[in-house]
């Protein structure tokens, strides 16, 4: 198995011992993206819609670095600190994908790093 790290300066750097993304063969695994604006190092706001948009823009930037687009995404996992925010997150999420939509799981978790409201990870295929 040969794996290669993918990095985009247009997305926040990893805040721990992990890569923004790893590619193995034709598959790209993008680590969970917090809604951190890479230009400021902060969340865009406390609104889950703004945070979802920022997380997805970070994912898009990493996909671009891998030579891919959102259309290459086949699976997503969405972590929410409050499942009551599912509808608002889903409104923004839906604008980033087209049919056939990626498979998805969404979970409420007790807490996310840095107090984020959302974190999203994806798997994409070339």
């Amino acid at each position: 198995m040969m794996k290669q790290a993918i990095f985009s300066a247009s997305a926040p750097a990893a805040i721990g011992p992990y890569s923004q993304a790893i590619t193995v063969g034709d598959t790209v695994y993008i680590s969970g993206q917090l809604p951190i604006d890479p230009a400021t190092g902060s969340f865009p706001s406390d609104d889950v819609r703004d945070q979802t948009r920022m997380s997805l823009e970070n994912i898009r930037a990493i996909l671009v670095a891998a030579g891919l687009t959102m259309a290459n995404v086949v699976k997503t996992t969405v972590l929410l600190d409050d499942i009551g925010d599912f509808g608002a997150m889903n409104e923004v999420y839906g604008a980033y994908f087209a049919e056939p939509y990626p498979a998805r799981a969404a979970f409420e978790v007790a807490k996310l790093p840095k107090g984020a409201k959302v974190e999203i990870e994806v798997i994409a295929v070339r």
Side-chain angles (χ1 to χ4, degrees), residues 8-60:
S8 171
S10 297
I15 57 174
Y18 61 92
S19 299
Q20 284 178 334
I22 290 288
T23 184
V24 177
D26 288 336
T27 306
V28 178
Y29 302 88
I30 297 181
S31 294
Q33 293 300 301
L34 292 171
I36 297 172
D37 182 331
T40 65
S42 302
F43 297 152
S45 78
D46 286 334
D47 185 88
V48 72
R49 287 175 185 84
D50 293 336
Q51 289 196 15
T52 299
R53 191 173 297 106
M54 188 80 260
S55 289
L56 290 166
E57 287 299 325
N58 291 337
I59 287 166
R60 186 191 321 256

Side-chain angles (χ1 to χ4, degrees), residues 4-11 20-30 58-70 72-73 122-126:
Q4 177 183 0
I6 296 170
F7 174 78
S8 171
S10 297
Q20 284 178 334
I22 290 288
T23 184
V24 177
D26 288 336
T27 306
V28 178
Y29 302 88
I30 297 181
N58 291 337
I59 287 166
R60 186 191 321 256
I62 296 167
L63 286 166
V64 167
L68 303 175
T69 70
M70 297 298 271
N72 293 97
V73 175
V122 307
I123 299 171
V125 178
R126 295 187 194 284

Side-chain angles (χ1 to χ4, degrees), residues 34-35 43 45-46 51 81 111-118:
L34 292 171
F43 297 152
S45 78
D46 286 334
Q51 289 196 15
D81 80 334
K111 198 171 195 175
L112 288 167
K114 298 186 173 274
K117 293 184 178 292
V118 65

